[in-house]
Amino acid sequence: YEATERIHQRCLAHLHELWSGEQSKDATGTVVVGSSEGIMLGGLAMKWRWRQRRQAAGKDASRPNIVFGANAQVALEKTARYFDIESRLVPVSAESHFCLDTRKALEMIDENTIGMYVILGSTYTGHYEDVEEMARLLDKLQEETGLDVPIHVDGASGAFVAPFAHPDLRWDFRVPRVVSISTSGHKFGLTYPGIGWVLWRAPEYLPDGLTFELSYLGGVEKTFTLNFSHPACFMIAQYYQFIRFGREGYARVMNACMYHARLMSVALEATGAYECISDMHRPRGQHGFSEETRLAAADLFAKTLNVSCSGADPAPNQPFNYGLPEVAFRFTDWFIEKHPTANQDVISTLMRVRGWIIPNYPLPPDTDRLRVMRVVIKEASSEDFVNRLVRDLMWATQTMLDTQSQTLGEALSTPLAKNTSTSDLAHSIARSGNVTMSDNMKHSHWQGILDKIGELKDSKAQQPKMELLDNGSKKSVYEKSC
């Protein structure tokens, strides 16, 4: 309807400016049900433009393919399958940070490639794929072969994070080869599930054949969505957030998310029991876990705490790697060696006892021997949130070892008392790990962290009073939960 269409156009104009669209051109795009629909429309537009070029040249257009990393979210594969496009999945590795390997991607492109999906924020680890580097390689390929391969950026999460937390990163319409961008409103757009957006660089990148004109709702409206009727409430909520927060408000939210994700990452690695697969807390250019990178991350994080700036200033993010405020972590090799029966699925299950849902899942194909747990830090997070999460992860780790008769110290019997302060727990753990540790030191270090949390009690002297009946025998609530 006309009133909602005006709000629709205002939202598109905001995003067009946010993603560095040409100011001389009006925004070309639409609201969608979610980023999945946006991805599909972006892929469909690339297919139609490729087909038109092939037919105009009198060439076969029956075998389109699209190239993207094996770390892609399922919506990308759905697009290929639903619209008869061959998926060419680029293998990922630790060297490519478990996301798109730009060199390998180049090897999969041929004259039937309609385009590429490049992901700004991998679902698995939070890494940003290098849009500008991929575009540079495609420019060179076009010079050598004449193949013109466009890029659609899947910015489901990152398109609302990068403009505020990493404004220096070139991933959007500043990169000429990027023809379309999609995002989700309910991830970091600060709205409810049920909304996404897709924008094109200019009208010529959206084929006319995909557009329909309607005149029976009052005025003339163009539509090119896969869904037709859907509620306007989500779009209105998005517009409300845009005018309520503005650029400064969104920047404050994203910077806070980045800070809390780094705090959690540094604290987890300081325990010696966990390492992060995500790299957003490491100094720019450093990737992968080692004692050297752990110390470098802890030292840099400590230094940025003293940086004086406004909450909307992205300066504290600049020394670190690009990435989402996401913490993907696993047991360290040292911990697995000392406790070979340790199981991350047990940690994930025990965390549900404390009210947390933390998935434990394999990394993409070719790296799926590794399983990681993942926490996405959102706008409602706080230092207390991180403190409690780290505390409960340590509780779950100790409980797992206790139930396997592999305790590192006294058995844990009771949760932290409600009146016990945890306001500086994560910072305390992070600071305690700012020294190089040998394998022999890590054992006592981890024990010391548990002592700091205050959860190591004499299990016989501190039995909970509440009891449950289990097949006729009494068990404490604690024993039952374990």
Side-chain angles (χ1 to χ4, degrees), residues 194-473:
I195 185 172
W197 301 92
V198 58
L199 270 71
W200 284 267
R201 169 179 291 278
E204 56 265 31
Y205 294 100
L206 176 64
D208 291 337
L210 295 177
T211 304
F212 296 85
E213 289 191 352
L214 308 175
S215 59
Y216 53 80
L217 295 178
V220 177
E221 175 189 350
K222 289 186 176 182
T223 177
F224 38 88
T225 56
L226 300 178
N227 292 278
F228 186 71
S229 296
H230 56 89
C233 59
F234 304 111
M235 180 183 68
I236 294 169
Q238 182 77 85
Y239 182 58
Y240 169 75
Q241 296 292 61
F242 282 167
I243 60 176
R244 176 194 176 206
F245 284 106
R247 278 183 175 269
E248 182 176 347
Y250 268 89
R252 287 180 178 274
V253 170
M254 301 311 158
N255 289 340
C257 290
M258 300 301 289
Y259 163 72
H260 292 132
R262 292 190 184 108
L263 172 61
M264 180 179 175
S265 300
V266 171
L268 281 179
E269 290 192 336
T271 67
Y274 291 100
E275 66 178 75
C276 291
I277 302 299
S278 50
D279 290 309
M280 52 79 63
H281 64 297
R282 305 194 198 284
R284 185 77 61 89
Q286 288 191 13
H287 296 86
F289 175 79
S290 67
E291 189 67 4
E292 180 183 356
T293 59
R294 182 189 72 79
L295 287 171
D299 289 342
L300 180 58
F301 179 74
K303 290 176 182 176
T304 58
L305 294 178
N306 299 318
V307 174
S308 178
C309 61
S310 73
D313 191 340
N317 300 320
Q318 300 312 304
F320 296 95
N321 285 324
Y322 299 122
L324 295 177
E326 178 178 313
V327 184
F329 58 101
R330 62 182 288 267
F331 290 140
T332 60
D333 290 340
W334 166 83
F335 189 82
I336 295 172
E337 181 182 347
K338 296 294 183 181
H339 309 282
T341 61
N343 189 330
Q344 289 176 190
D345 281 326
V346 174
I347 302 297
S348 180
T349 302
L350 283 171
M351 290 298 283
R352 288 177 178 263
V353 175
R354 292 293 178 94
W356 305 96
I357 299 177
I358 301 180
N360 178 50
Y361 55 90
L363 287 174
D366 296 324
T367 58
D368 51 3
R369 62 180 182 81
L370 295 177
R371 299 179 69 87
V372 298
M373 292 178 281
R374 183 188 66 155
V375 173
V376 179
I377 302 296
K378 300 294 287 293
E379 66 275 9
S381 303
S382 63
E383 280 195 0
D384 186 63
F385 171 94
V386 175
N387 292 329
R388 291 183 177 277
L389 181 51
V390 171
R391 179 204 70 185
D392 288 346
L393 275 167
M394 300 303 287
W395 167 84
T397 307
Q398 182 66 61
T399 300
M400 175 192 68
L401 297 180
D402 289 347
T403 57
Q404 295 174 347
S405 299
Q406 286 187 299
T407 182
L408 288 176
E410 298 173 67
L412 169 66
S413 65
T414 57
L416 192 66
K418 290 184 179 180
N419 62 352
T420 302
S421 172
T422 61
S423 60
D424 63 348
L425 171 63
H427 280 292
S428 176
I429 294 175
R431 287 193 297 270
S432 73
N434 277 10
V435 295
T436 304
M437 291 186 292
S438 65
D439 284 353
N440 291 332
M441 293 173 62
K442 289 179 182 177
H443 217 189
S444 58
H445 174 70
W446 198 71
Q447 176 69 56
I449 287 172
L450 291 172
D451 289 330
K452 284 185 179 182
I453 295 175
E455 292 190 347
L456 288 181
K457 304 291 183 182
D458 185 336
S459 60
K460 294 182 180 179
Q462 298 287 339
Q463 284 291 339
K465 295 181 180 180
M466 293 180 63
E467 295 179 333
L468 298 174
L469 287 176
D470 185 14
N471 296 327
S473 64

Side-chain angles (χ1 to χ4, degrees), residues 26-332:
D26 292 334
T28 301
T30 184
V31 63
V32 287
V33 170
S35 58
S36 294
E37 185 183 0
I39 289 167
M40 291 181 181
L41 287 171
L44 197 57
M46 289 194 295
K47 178 183 177 181
W48 277 51
R49 292 186 69 240
W50 169 83
R51 186 173 63 189
Q52 289 170 354
R53 292 196 304 269
R54 298 285 291 180
Q55 290 174 343
K59 297 180 179 180
D60 177 53
S62 63
R63 296 180 297 165
N65 68 69
I66 191 165
V67 177
F68 51 90
N71 58 306
Q73 197 255 6
V74 68
L76 280 69
E77 294 190 64
K78 278 186 177 181
T79 302
R81 187 177 300 179
Y82 290 175
F83 299 128
D84 293 324
I85 305 170
E86 177 194 353
S87 293
R88 293 191 173 178
L89 302 183
V90 183
V92 303
S93 63
E95 290 71 28
S96 67
H97 318 312
F98 305 100
C99 52
L100 181 71
D101 187 319
T102 55
R103 297 288 177 178
K104 290 181 180 178
L106 210 62
E107 298 171 0
M108 295 188 170
I109 293 172
D110 59 25
E111 63 178 358
N112 290 315
T113 302
I114 67 170
M116 286 193 64
Y117 283 133
V118 183
I119 304 168
L120 196 73
S122 173
T123 301
Y124 290 90
T125 62
H127 288 93
Y128 290 163
E129 294 181 345
D130 195 337
V131 178
E132 189 172 30
E133 172 64 10
M134 191 70 250
R136 186 188 67 80
L137 293 175
L138 291 173
D139 289 344
K140 184 178 180 181
L141 179 69
Q142 185 173 5
E143 292 175 3
E144 296 172 351
T145 66
L147 296 177
D148 184 7
V149 181
I151 291 175
H152 173 92
V153 175
D154 170 17
S157 294
F160 267 118
V161 175
F164 305 106
H166 306 110
D168 61 312
L169 179 63
R170 294 173 60 88
W171 63 273
D172 50 18
F173 292 130
R174 287 172 289 181
V175 179
R177 198 161 286 276
V178 173
V179 299
S180 51
I181 301 170
S182 58
T183 192
S184 169
H186 67 262
K187 290 185 173 70
F188 287 93
L190 310 184
T191 56
Y192 307 106
I195 185 172
W197 301 92
V198 58
L199 270 71
W200 284 267
R201 169 179 291 278
E204 56 265 31
Y205 294 100
L206 176 64
D208 291 337
L210 295 177
T211 304
F212 296 85
E213 289 191 352
L214 308 175
S215 59
Y216 53 80
L217 295 178
V220 177
E221 175 189 350
K222 289 186 176 182
T223 177
F224 38 88
T225 56
L226 300 178
N227 292 278
F228 186 71
S229 296
H230 56 89
C233 59
F234 304 111
M235 180 183 68
I236 294 169
Q238 182 77 85
Y239 182 58
Y240 169 75
Q241 296 292 61
F242 282 167
I243 60 176
R244 176 194 176 206
F245 284 106
R247 278 183 175 269
E248 182 176 347
Y250 268 89
R252 287 180 178 274
V253 170
M254 301 311 158
N255 289 340
C257 290
M258 300 301 289
Y259 163 72
H260 292 132
R262 292 190 184 108
L263 172 61
M264 180 179 175
S265 300
V266 171
L268 281 179
E269 290 192 336
T271 67
Y274 291 100
E275 66 178 75
C276 291
I277 302 299
S278 50
D279 290 309
M280 52 79 63
H281 64 297
R282 305 194 198 284
R284 185 77 61 89
Q286 288 191 13
H287 296 86
F289 175 79
S290 67
E291 189 67 4
E292 180 183 356
T293 59
R294 182 189 72 79
L295 287 171
D299 289 342
L300 180 58
F301 179 74
K303 290 176 182 176
T304 58
L305 294 178
N306 299 318
V307 174
S308 178
C309 61
S310 73
D313 191 340
N317 300 320
Q318 300 312 304
F320 296 95
N321 285 324
Y322 299 122
L324 295 177
E326 178 178 313
V327 184
F329 58 101
R330 62 182 288 267
F331 290 140
T332 60

